Amino acid sequence: MWIAMREERRIVQRALMAAVASLATAGAAAAQGGGAGDPASWGFEVREERAAGQPAEAWRLAPELDTAIDIRITGLVARTRVEQRFRNPSAERVEARYLFPLPEGAAIDRLEMDLGDRRVVGEVRERQEARRDYAAARASGQRAALLESRRPNVWSVAVAGIDPGQEISVRLEYQELVSYDLGLFRLRVPLVVAPRFDPGPTLPMPEPSEPVTPATAPVLRPVRLTARIDAGVPLAAVESPTHALEARRRQDGVWTVGLAADPVPADRDLELVWRPVRGRAPQLARFEEEAGGDRYAALLFLPPAPEAADPPLPRELLIVLDTSGSMQGASIDQARRAVRAALSRLHPWDRFNVIRFSDHAEALFPASVDADARSLEIADAFVARLAAGGGTRMLPALDLALSTVPDSAAVSQLLFVTDGQVANEEELLTFLAGRLGDRRLFPVGIGSAPNSFLLTRAAELGRGSATFVGRVEEVADKMAGLFAKLERPVLADLEVAWDDPTAESEPERPGDLYVGEPLLLVARLAQPDAAVRVAGRLAEERFEWAAPAGAPTPASGLAKLWARRRIDALEAERRLPGADRDALRAEIVSLALAHGLATAHTSFLAVEHRPSAAPGDPVARDVPTMTPAGATLPQGGTR
């Protein structure tokens, strides 16, 4: 039965692929290389790898791929298994190469390759060693799989030795902490890699980013998804703003979740949202695990809200809006609505300015102005006229925004509205680390597949938070929630102290907390059940809270989550001027190997230790991905 169902799905997939391809061919013929039917006009980049005897459209012979994702959520920890199935439709023995996204904080700790009834388990190696061993296995005729990081949230799998008609499955597993914000638990599941604009180097960087250009073509890439949610608190609902779900609550309170349409195209990121029953939202949750002789703890603490009687503090709000080519279509409409919603929430005692950028940056006013009726009317009309086009040169816009002298009598906040699809993330983060000062940064990720790594890390640097808007219908609610934070910082100048002198807590120095935001810590401890104290400034008064030692909830995977967060902190330290990058890299590699994690400097390698064919490299073929829904390729270079 399973074989029949799989074959039926394959028939449907091939029919859709054929339909898309025939539309592309017919449209291209009718328009003689342009027009609505041309793949280029849809935002598709058809990468043709011509060689002797190969057809012009080599993507038709690329290995077929479908993906199955299974998520198990227990309390704050999400464990995800991603299974990628490759099938070789050509008459040649091939190497399949595929780019795909993963969450930026994912702790990837397992890789398996299934070859019929045989399973090969991968091992973590230092990156260059893994590449050498993979190349040797490929050349000797062995089947092998290599998983490596291409960017912090973009990964690649190469699978060598797929025979004609053969299927090979590659499974990877990772875990992450779910987020909790404004009374909702959230988990983003990235499904598509968007092309990124490469502005070229502006600042000198010790380690240039590795080029990444996803191969896209007019094909369907199906994804199936199932999830099981045991939140630890009663839930009122499980929903998704991006996809239709089928969610059911079992008698034991556990929810099972599937997609209403299964499979779905891999053309947009998926977000799961679950809401606790009213009055049952967690104020404190603590989990612990013992691993390798150490204790690891995860702590979620929701501080009390301040009194709402006092008016919000005066703010200077700088709005930086991306109007580049990658924002064409639905994204620019979402961005305009988001900015206009932000303008509508300003008070007469606030000041503001709007900066738009594409190939160059342009400020609406020479300097920040009072948020009076006339200035807001001018700004609203300015934003309403904006259209998308050109390259994505973020650095000049951020430089323009941060070159102004902050208003000392106001809270300085920077609202950064963009899809984030650029190739120079490290350059931008290095720039922000040196220039933000006391300003708070609040990125708003726009579109079906925003660059969540860049936006999340930028928010951490700016002691703010990232908001993601995937559809026009979400703009009002998401911006209202964001401005509830912007208007009322809750807990500032945070300090965390464990009753364990050897405790290593991540983050080491948490940022400010806003209304509805919790403090979420992961720590390595030497003493079990060590008490922890949190201190800060609540409104204008000193606040201190203590979680006494007790019996925490057992959990699994906290050791790897702590290691992943520690590695992220070390990577951030490597961006600082004067950092000993080689020593920090060595520490990252040591930590990753000890915990069995794939990182920017370590990779997973799985090799079948017997040749499957005569020695010699197979034909390399890139498996194309889909273009994000509602998006077009950015103008200029991509990586």
Side-chain angles (χ1 to χ4, degrees):
M1 179 179 178
W2 181 84
I3 295 175
M5 292 174 64
R6 184 178 64 180
E7 186 61 29
E8 182 179 352
R9 284 196 301 268
R10 187 175 298 143
I11 291 171
V12 172
Q13 179 185 349
R14 288 175 178 167
L16 286 170
M17 289 171 60
V20 173
S22 65
L23 284 171
T25 304
Q32 294 183 354
D38 188 353
S41 71
W42 307 345
F44 289 124
E45 175 197 7
V46 181
R47 293 181 59 185
E48 299 182 354
E49 300 177 79
R50 297 188 184 217
Q54 282 193 355
E57 294 174 328
W59 57 266
R60 295 181 186 275
L61 298 178
E64 297 173 356
L65 171 76
D66 71 348
T67 302
I69 299 174
D70 182 67
I71 306 171
R72 294 289 182 264
I73 298 167
T74 306
L76 299 177
V77 180
R79 177 79 179 178
T80 301
R81 171 183 290 185
V82 180
E83 182 172 5
Q84 299 163 333
R85 288 186 284 267
F86 299 87
R87 180 182 179 276
N88 179 8
S90 74
E92 300 174 289
R93 187 166 171 270
V94 303
E95 175 195 28
R97 303 178 304 193
Y98 176 59
L99 283 178
F100 62 98
L102 288 178
E104 59 276 3
I108 308 165
D109 61 2
R110 190 167 183 83
L111 177 74
E112 297 175 341
M113 178 172 61
D114 278 358
L115 310 165
D117 59 353
R118 301 186 305 283
R119 176 167 298 173
V120 181
V121 179
E123 298 177 351
V124 175
R125 310 270 184 89
E126 195 277 330
R127 184 183 181 111
Q128 295 305 322
E129 177 188 352
R131 283 185 169 184
R132 288 193 301 268
D133 291 349
Y134 173 78
R138 179 184 59 198
S140 66
Q142 295 171 292
R143 295 187 181 93
L146 176 67
L147 168 71
E148 59 181 358
S149 170
R150 304 299 293 275
R151 291 186 181 277
N153 58 344
V154 178
W155 295 75
S156 67
V157 162
V159 185
I162 308 179
D163 294 326
Q166 184 184 25
E167 289 189 7
I168 289 181
S169 293
V170 176
R171 277 191 305 279
L172 62 95
E173 297 184 18
Y174 66 88
Q175 51 202 19
E176 60 185 316
L177 289 171
V178 303
S179 65
Y180 180 74
D181 186 32
L182 295 173
L184 298 174
F185 291 97
R186 297 181 184 273
L187 184 71
R188 289 186 63 83
V189 185
L191 298 180
V192 60
V193 177
R196 298 182 180 182
F197 179 83
D198 182 8
T202 303
L203 300 175
M205 297 298 294
E207 293 182 3
S209 298
E210 184 173 356
V212 171
T213 303
T216 60
V219 295
L220 174 71
R221 291 297 174 219
V223 173
R224 299 186 301 278
L225 181 136
T226 56
R228 177 184 178 274
I229 302 175
D230 183 2
V233 295
L235 300 182
V238 178
E239 303 162 331
S240 171
T242 60
H243 291 75
L245 299 180
E246 291 183 351
R248 298 182 178 87
R249 182 176 64 85
R250 303 189 324 200
Q251 289 186 347
D252 59 1
V254 174
W255 287 68
T256 58
V257 182
L259 296 169
D262 190 20
V264 297
D267 64 349
R268 69 185 67 227
D269 294 346
L270 181 143
E271 185 177 25
L272 291 175
V273 179
W274 53 104
R275 183 172 64 250
V277 171
R278 187 175 181 84
R280 300 299 298 272
Q283 303 300 309
L284 169 67
R286 178 167 175 168
F287 304 85
E288 283 199 11
E289 174 191 40
E290 182 175 359
D294 289 319
R295 302 288 299 187
Y296 295 86
L299 179 74
L300 181 146
F301 164 60
L302 187 65
E307 296 294 332
D310 296 332
L313 295 173
R315 291 176 296 117
E316 181 187 35
L317 182 66
L318 300 179
I319 302 174
V320 178
L321 173 60
D322 183 351
T323 60
S324 66
S326 66
M327 295 284 289
Q328 289 178 4
S331 292
I332 192 63
D333 187 24
Q334 294 166 22
R336 282 193 299 257
R337 290 178 185 234
V339 172
R340 296 174 81 178
L343 293 171
S344 71
R345 295 290 295 257
L346 290 172
H347 301 285
W349 53 82
D350 294 330
R351 294 176 63 80
F352 79 99
N353 202 352
V354 180
I355 297 171
R356 61 150 295 274
F357 72 92
S358 53
D359 286 318
H360 65 280
E362 173 191 4
L364 174 59
F365 302 109
S368 296
V369 297
D370 293 334
D372 55 41
R374 178 57 180 160
S375 296
L376 290 173
E377 182 181 352
I378 293 172
D380 188 77
F382 172 76
V383 172
R385 293 193 302 268
L386 293 177
T392 314
R393 302 187 185 276
M394 291 184 180
L395 199 58
L398 293 172
D399 184 40
L400 179 60
L402 299 178
S403 295
T404 60
V405 178
D407 186 343
S408 59
V411 177
S412 182
Q413 297 171 335
L414 176 60
L415 192 68
F416 187 30
V417 185
T418 177
D419 60 6
Q421 297 303 351
V422 291
N424 62 329
E425 299 106 315
E426 291 296 330
E427 181 182 47
L428 293 167
L429 294 175
T430 300
F431 173 81
L432 289 172
R435 290 287 300 275
L436 273 172
D438 290 333
R439 290 181 176 89
R440 302 299 193 259
L441 175 59
F442 295 86
V444 178
I446 295 294
S448 56
N451 186 347
S452 57
F453 163 73
L454 173 61
L455 303 179
T456 301
R457 292 292 182 267
E460 291 172 357
L461 285 172
R463 293 169 292 167
S465 60
T467 300
F468 296 96
V469 179
R471 298 183 304 130
V472 167
E473 293 80 5
E474 295 182 83
V475 171
D477 288 344
K478 290 287 183 73
M479 295 306 293
L482 173 59
F483 266 78
K485 299 178 187 179
L486 291 175
E487 292 166 358
R488 295 192 180 277
V490 174
L491 200 57
D493 303 327
L494 274 172
E495 299 175 359
V496 177
W498 295 83
D499 284 347
D500 179 346
T502 66
E504 298 175 87
S505 186
E506 295 297 341
E508 186 177 2
R509 298 184 61 186
D512 298 347
L513 297 181
Y514 288 75
V515 168
E517 284 187 340
L519 174 64
L520 185 57
L521 298 172
V522 184
R524 180 167 70 177
L525 310 170
Q527 301 176 8
D529 307 334
V532 60
R533 293 186 302 279
V534 177
R537 180 168 46 84
L538 182 64
E540 295 303 319
E541 298 181 359
R542 180 73 176 172
F543 170 84
E544 186 166 330
W545 168 84
T553 303
S556 61
L558 299 184
K560 295 181 185 295
L561 287 171
W562 173 85
R564 177 70 256 184
R565 286 202 160 194
R566 178 62 183 154
I567 288 168
D568 290 342
L570 293 171
E571 289 286 11
E573 190 175 345
R574 294 181 82 230
R575 299 186 189 106
L576 299 177
D580 189 340
R581 300 177 63 86
D582 291 338
L584 290 168
R585 182 187 183 282
E587 188 175 350
I588 290 171
V589 171
S590 176
L591 195 59
L593 294 177
H595 288 267
L597 299 179
T599 68
H601 312 287
T602 56
S603 304
F604 263 105
L605 175 66
V607 177
E608 183 186 28
H609 292 291
R610 59 177 179 179
S612 62
D617 286 330
V619 177
R621 293 199 184 280
D622 292 335
V623 181
T625 65
M626 298 186 71
T627 298
T632 60
L633 284 176
Q635 299 177 25
T638 61
R639 295 175 73 180

